Every structure is written in structure tokens, then in C-alpha cells.
């Protein structure tokens, strides 16, 4: 059965796993951290996707002081920002961003500004003019704060925005913000997004005469 279209006013885009495939870097850095801590690397990676690093650490090591998590995460962020080997765009990301250039959209990512800039550049993708990063929120995904701030920056109510996400934490944040969520890639399927697509090659964005954006989905 064809996927019904969505009609919205603005789009809020996650970065890692949605626009940028950074799995190789994330795996290198977090597997190393997991081994150092005696934790299961696969479980660490399952928790790490879509969250700020210090919250991943707090989830996995709940008895540690948050000050230690923040300090240790600064080191991991430096590693991740410097390591761009294997970073590539998600299929269709470049063309999708090009189609959105004159439409209301924003990047909403759990990455720092520096990490976001490094990964978007490594993937050869245009950085949206409006962006909400880890530096702009007090609560990370799955809290909806980032998506609500993105909607406010674009000047549209949450229910008229759509979220593009790949992770469980990100999908939960979008739904908690009252927004439909397009789940991108294989990780998204198990977290109940509104719509699921394998990648961005299956998505088309068209401006309607009244200024709204119609999203259609192939397949």
C-alpha cells in the first residue's frame, strides 16, 4: 500500500543517521570506550545513537558522578570531531537538502556545533542556516526541547512541523513534541515513526501555492 503524503509548514532534520552516515566513527569511538569500561560494545552503541555522550554514559553507568561523564565526554567529542574517516551522506541527502533550500527547515542534532560542522563538511552536505545543537538545549533527546526550539526558530507551531530521524531517542523526542516523524533507515523501524523510509532517495518535497510543503514517499 502506498504511503500517504504529509503536508506541513516546516521540516526539522536530525543529522547522524538521517543526513550523514557517521556509523563508522561512532562505532570506533564508542566501542573503544565500551572495552575500556568493561561493557558490551553492542549495547553501548544501541544506547549511544541519537543521544549526547554524557547522557549515554549516565544511562550505562548510573552510579558515576555527572561531572565525570561530562569530563570524559569532552575527550570523546574531540576524538569524534577529528575523526571523519568513513563519513558519507545518507543516500539522497544532498538532493533532498537542495530541494529544501528555499523551504522552511532546520537542523536539530545532539552533536556540538563543531562536530556538526565537521560531519556535514566531511559528507559534502550544505549546512542549514537554522540549526539547534547540543549547545542550544538543556535537555537532550529523547526530550523534545530541541525540536520545539527548532519549530519556534522557524516560526511554526509544532503540529505543523515534521521531524526526520533515525534513532529511538530522536523519534521519541519528535513524537513527544507533537510532530509526525519520518523514520529514516533500518534503526528507525522498531521505534514507531509515523512514516518509514530506507533513505532520503524515497522522499520528495514540493512547495504548495499556500506555502505549505507536501512530502511524498516512493514505494
Amino acid at each position: 500500500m502506498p504511503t500517504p503524503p504529509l503536508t506541513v509548514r516546516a521540516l526539522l532534520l536530525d543529522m547522524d543517521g538521517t543526513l550523514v552516515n557517521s556509523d563508522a566513527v561512532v562505532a570506533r569511538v564508542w566501542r573503544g570506550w565500551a572495552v575500556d569500561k568493561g561493557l558490551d560494545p553492542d549495547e553501548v552503541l544501541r544506547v549511544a545513537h541519537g543521544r549526547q555522550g554524557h547522557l549515554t554514559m549516565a544511562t550505562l553507568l548510573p552510579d558515576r558522578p555527572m561531572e565525570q561523564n561530562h569530563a570524559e565526554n569532552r575527550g570523546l567529542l574531540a576524538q569524534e570531531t577529528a575523526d571523519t574517516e568513513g563519513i558519507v551522506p545518507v543516500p539522497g541527502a544532498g538532493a533532498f537538502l537542495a530541494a529544501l533550500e528555499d523551504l522552511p527547515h532546520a537542523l536539530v542534532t545532539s552533536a556540538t556545533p563543531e562536530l556538526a560542522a565537521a560531519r556535514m563538511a566531511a559528507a559534502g552536505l550544505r549546512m542549514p542556516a537554522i540549526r539547534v545543537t547540543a549547545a542550544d538545549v538543556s535537555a537532550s533527546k529523547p526530550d523534545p526541547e530541541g525540536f520545539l526550539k527548532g519549530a519556534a526558530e522557524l516560526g511554526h507551531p509544532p503540529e505543523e512541523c515534521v521531524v526526520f530521524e533515525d534513532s529511538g531517542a530522536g523519534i521519541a523526542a519528535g513524537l513527544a513534541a507533537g510532530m509526525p516523524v519520518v523514520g529514516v533507515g533500518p534503526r528507525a523501524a522498531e521505534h514507531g515513526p509515523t512514516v518509514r523510509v530506507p533513505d532520503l532517495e524515497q522522499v520528495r518535497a514540493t512547495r504548495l501555492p499556500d506555502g505549505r510543503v507536501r512530502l511524498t514517499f516512493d514505494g
Side-chain angles (χ1 to χ4, degrees), residues 17-166:
T18 301
L19 298 173
V20 172
N21 183 340
S22 56
D23 285 359
V25 179
V26 173
R28 280 194 295 272
V29 171
W30 282 98
R31 282 185 182 277
W33 182 84
V35 170
D36 184 59
K37 297 295 181 288
L39 300 173
D40 178 357
D42 290 334
E43 173 63 14
V44 169
L45 284 174
R46 187 189 67 79
V47 174
H49 282 293
R51 299 175 189 264
Q52 292 184 32
H54 66 277
L55 294 179
T56 294
M57 295 174 184
T59 300
L60 294 164
L61 299 171
D63 296 327
R64 287 209 320 181
M66 280 304 293
E67 293 82 359
Q68 186 176 351
N69 294 336
H70 281 286
E72 203 164 89
N73 187 51
R74 284 193 288 272
L76 292 190
L77 278 171
Q79 291 181 47
E80 289 190 84
T81 303
D83 185 354
T84 57
E85 184 179 352
I87 288 180
V88 295
V90 166
F96 187 60
L97 281 171
L100 298 185
E101 192 155 6
D102 296 323
L103 301 175
H105 68 286
L107 187 75
V108 181
T109 175
S110 295
T112 62
E114 297 80 10
L115 182 58
R119 288 188 173 166
M120 291 291 281
L125 295 175
R126 174 183 65 82
M127 176 67 83
I130 297 176
R131 43 198 177 268
V132 179
T133 71
D136 302 308
V137 297
S138 59
S140 178
K141 302 169 186 177
D143 192 282
E145 180 185 357
F147 289 124
L148 293 172
K149 282 199 168 187
E153 285 282 334
L154 293 170
H156 294 290
E159 65 272 15
E160 294 186 0
C161 299
V162 64
V163 165
F164 282 73
E165 264 286 359
D166 74 301

